[in-house]
Amino acid sequence: IHAKSRHERSFRLQQAMWESRFDYHNDDSIFVARPLGTVPEVQMWLQEFVPGTVSWDALSGPNGETIAARVAETAYKLHQVDIITERVHTIEDELQILEEKLPQVVRRMPQFKSRIDAVLTKCRELAISTPTTQQTGIHRDFYPDQVLVDGDRIFLLDHDLYCMGDPHLDIGNFVGHLIEYSLRKHGTPDTFAACQNALVESYCSLQKDSHSTIVDAYATLTLVRHIFLSTRIAGRSHSTSPILSYCEAALSDHLSCKGLAK
């Protein structure tokens, strides 16, 4: 049920994906749930129930790297879909989100002001120095909760933010969430390192003009956004400082490689 009148658009998008080889009859076992219809009176759209568990569990298991490769195939398949949308999201839009949200962290935690100001400055430099690539349709909220795993089958969920953008953003967003979860739950960024490598390598082997350095840039911007999210989501405040420290180091590494570090 949507608070705003977007159920028709969401349903049409799901239907377009279903008709773009995400139906149950394709041979790659990557699907969306079958769209069923709308209930305009309550601003609701309906899809068929599908089995599976969110991919966190599968990525944490013994077959994590295999699942990560399947996630890469899922993203690649989505990026090949030719669904018309007027919505566009660029790296400048990513930067704008950070410039709106991170000052709210400073108001809550003024002791971090100088560090967050420096992070934002480096994010601007990173955005300027990151190459522009060919836009495709992207999920824009691609992370493990959006991927259901049911044996060999993959179900892709929640396309409300679907838009035109850099496909590296989806992979970087997924990687960023893996690192954030690892920092928050285990105190180290490396819990999913093998899965991250499998995801990026698999995607780059499929999307020939992709570059792991651009994925890394978007992953870092995703983690900077999580500095803000850690102060807003219950039970995450303990991870604010570790995420901030990780972002400082990652940004310095990126800009050093580009000769822009200060």
Side-chain angles (χ1 to χ4, degrees):
I1 300 175
H2 288 145
K4 298 180 180 179
S5 299
R6 61 185 187 190
H7 55 285
E8 286 284 357
R9 186 186 68 82
S10 296
F11 172 73
R12 287 195 301 270
L13 178 58
Q14 186 88 349
Q15 196 165 40
M17 289 188 175
W18 176 264
E19 295 169 355
S20 299
R21 292 194 59 253
F22 277 90
D23 62 278
Y24 301 156
H25 302 296
N26 71 72
D27 57 5
D28 60 16
S29 296
I30 298 172
F31 314 116
V32 298
R34 186 199 308 270
L36 298 178
T38 64
V39 187
E41 294 82 359
V42 289
Q43 299 181 174
M44 175 189 286
W45 72 278
L46 305 175
Q47 60 183 338
E48 190 171 65
F49 173 84
V50 293
T53 58
V54 294
S55 60
W56 286 114
D57 291 342
L59 291 165
S60 301
N63 298 318
E65 292 177 59
T66 300
I67 296 300
R70 290 286 282 154
V71 170
E73 293 172 20
T74 302
Y76 176 74
K77 180 175 179 177
L78 177 66
H79 297 158
Q80 307 311 302
V81 171
D82 186 20
I83 296 177
I84 297 174
T85 175
E86 295 180 355
R87 303 170 78 186
V88 178
H89 187 84
T90 66
I91 198 167
E92 288 78 15
D93 295 315
E94 285 285 289
L95 185 60
Q96 183 177 351
I97 292 170
L98 301 181
E99 291 177 335
E100 291 174 356
K101 299 301 185 183
L102 262 64
Q104 298 181 39
V105 178
V106 173
R107 288 194 285 272
R108 286 170 173 258
M109 300 177 170
Q111 69 271 25
F112 289 146
K113 183 181 188 309
S114 61
R115 295 173 67 186
I116 286 177
D117 287 347
V119 163
L120 280 173
T121 296
K122 289 183 177 179
C123 284
R124 295 183 193 106
E125 295 170 354
L126 179 62
I128 291 170
S129 64
T130 298
T132 301
T133 62
Q134 180 67 40
Q135 289 187 339
T136 68
I138 62 173
H139 190 281
R140 228 209 94 194
D141 193 24
F142 192 60
Y143 71 109
D145 281 359
Q146 311 291 34
V147 180
L148 286 185
V149 179
D150 180 48
D152 292 333
R153 300 191 300 172
I154 300 288
F155 293 92
L156 182 60
L157 308 178
D158 191 5
H159 315 291
D160 281 352
L161 297 184
Y162 181 85
C163 61
M164 299 301 295
D166 187 335
H168 293 88
L169 184 149
D170 280 345
I171 307 302
N173 193 66
F174 204 101
V175 169
H177 276 78
L178 293 178
I179 296 172
E180 184 278 330
Y181 184 93
S182 181
L183 284 168
R184 174 162 47 92
K185 293 292 188 179
H186 305 289
T188 171
D190 301 327
T191 304
F192 294 98
C195 292
Q196 291 162 213
N197 291 337
L199 171 66
V200 175
E201 289 175 6
S202 296
Y203 186 80
C204 289
S205 70
L206 293 166
Q207 185 79 321
K208 299 303 183 184
D209 58 349
S210 58
H211 301 278
S212 61
T213 54
I214 304 179
V215 171
D216 290 343
Y218 278 107
T220 299
L221 295 177
T222 294
L223 281 156
V224 172
R225 176 161 35 90
H226 274 281
I227 298 172
F228 164 74
L229 292 174
S230 71
T231 68
R232 306 291 291 190
I233 300 176
R236 295 194 181 187
S237 59
H238 68 282
S239 64
T240 303
S241 183
I243 296 172
L244 175 56
S245 295
Y246 181 91
C247 290
E248 289 170 328
L251 285 163
S252 292
D253 287 346
H254 282 305
L255 298 178
S256 293
C257 291
K258 297 174 184 294
L260 295 172
K262 294 182 179 180

